Amino acid sequence: MNVGKIALALWVVTVGAFAFYFVRGHTSISTDQRRAIQLSVEEKDFVLAEMRSLLSSVNGILRGLHEHDMIAVAEAAKSAGMGMAVDASPLLMVKLPLEFKIMGMGLHEDFDKLSVDIKTGLNRDQVIHRLSELTSKCVSCHQIYRLSSDRTD
C-alpha cells in the first residue's frame, strides 16, 4: 500500500469520526433519563450564560409589552438573535448533539425574525403568541437535555 492510500484512509477515518461526533455530540444518559451533554466546566458555564441571556431577553420582551413599548420589545428580541450565537468555540460545537445545535440556532433565528416582524407591525397578542412558541422550544430542549461536567457544585 502506498503512502497516498494510507493518507487518504486516515483522512477518511478522521473526517468520519468528526462527522459522527458532530451529529451525536458527547452525550450519555443521565440519572433522570435525559441526554447529558458532557462538557468541560468552562463550556458548561458558557452555555448556561447564554441560556441566562436568552431568559433576560424574554424578560425584556415581557417588560416592553407591559409598558406598551414595542421598540424595547423588538430590541429585546434582537438581543437574543443570531448575534448572540457567534462566540461558541468549534470544540464546544462538536460536543453538542446536532439536534441541540439545530434547536439552538433555530431559536436565535426565531428571535431575529420576531424582532423584524415587530418592527413591521405585530401587535401585543401576536408577540405573546410568538413568544409562547419560542419558549416552548426552550421547554422541549430542557426536557430532552441536561448539561454535565466534572464539577460537583
Side-chain angles (χ1 to χ4, degrees):
M1 190 179 253
N2 68 31
V3 175
K5 288 182 181 178
I6 292 172
L8 179 61
L10 288 173
W11 181 82
V12 168
V13 168
T14 301
V15 169
F18 178 81
F20 174 78
Y21 284 107
F22 185 82
V23 171
R24 182 179 176 273
H26 188 64
T27 64
S28 62
I29 301 299
S30 67
T31 57
D32 63 3
Q33 301 307 305
R34 291 184 292 165
R35 289 179 63 192
I37 302 171
Q38 306 297 322
L39 301 174
S40 72
V41 171
E42 295 80 15
E43 291 164 337
K44 181 179 176 183
D45 288 345
F46 177 85
V47 174
L48 290 174
E50 183 170 320
M51 289 178 184
R52 285 189 300 275
S53 292
L54 288 168
L55 187 57
S56 291
S57 296
V58 169
N59 183 258
I61 291 169
L62 292 171
R63 187 177 330 106
L65 288 171
H66 174 72
E67 296 170 357
H68 301 279
D69 183 350
M70 296 305 274
I71 293 171
V73 173
E75 289 173 3
K78 183 70 175 171
S79 73
M82 289 301 289
M84 175 193 277
V86 297
D87 294 331
S89 78
L91 182 58
L92 171 60
M93 293 306 288
V94 169
K95 290 182 177 181
L96 301 174
L98 182 60
E99 182 183 17
F100 185 93
K101 289 182 275 226
I102 289 171
M103 282 193 286
M105 291 299 122
L107 187 64
H108 290 301
E109 290 171 352
D110 290 345
F111 274 108
D112 277 337
K113 183 165 178 13
L114 177 61
S115 177
V116 169
D117 292 347
I118 290 166
K119 292 173 185 173
T120 61
L122 283 185
N123 65 42
R124 289 180 77 238
D125 287 340
Q126 292 169 319
V127 173
I128 291 168
H129 176 74
R130 293 271 293 277
L131 187 59
S132 172
E133 291 175 341
L134 289 172
T135 58
S136 72
K137 292 179 181 184
C138 299
V139 171
S140 175
C141 188
H142 282 269
Q143 288 174 334
I144 297 168
Y145 297 103
R146 67 175 290 153
L147 302 177
S148 183
S149 71
D150 293 334
R151 184 168 57 195
T152 58
D153 63 354

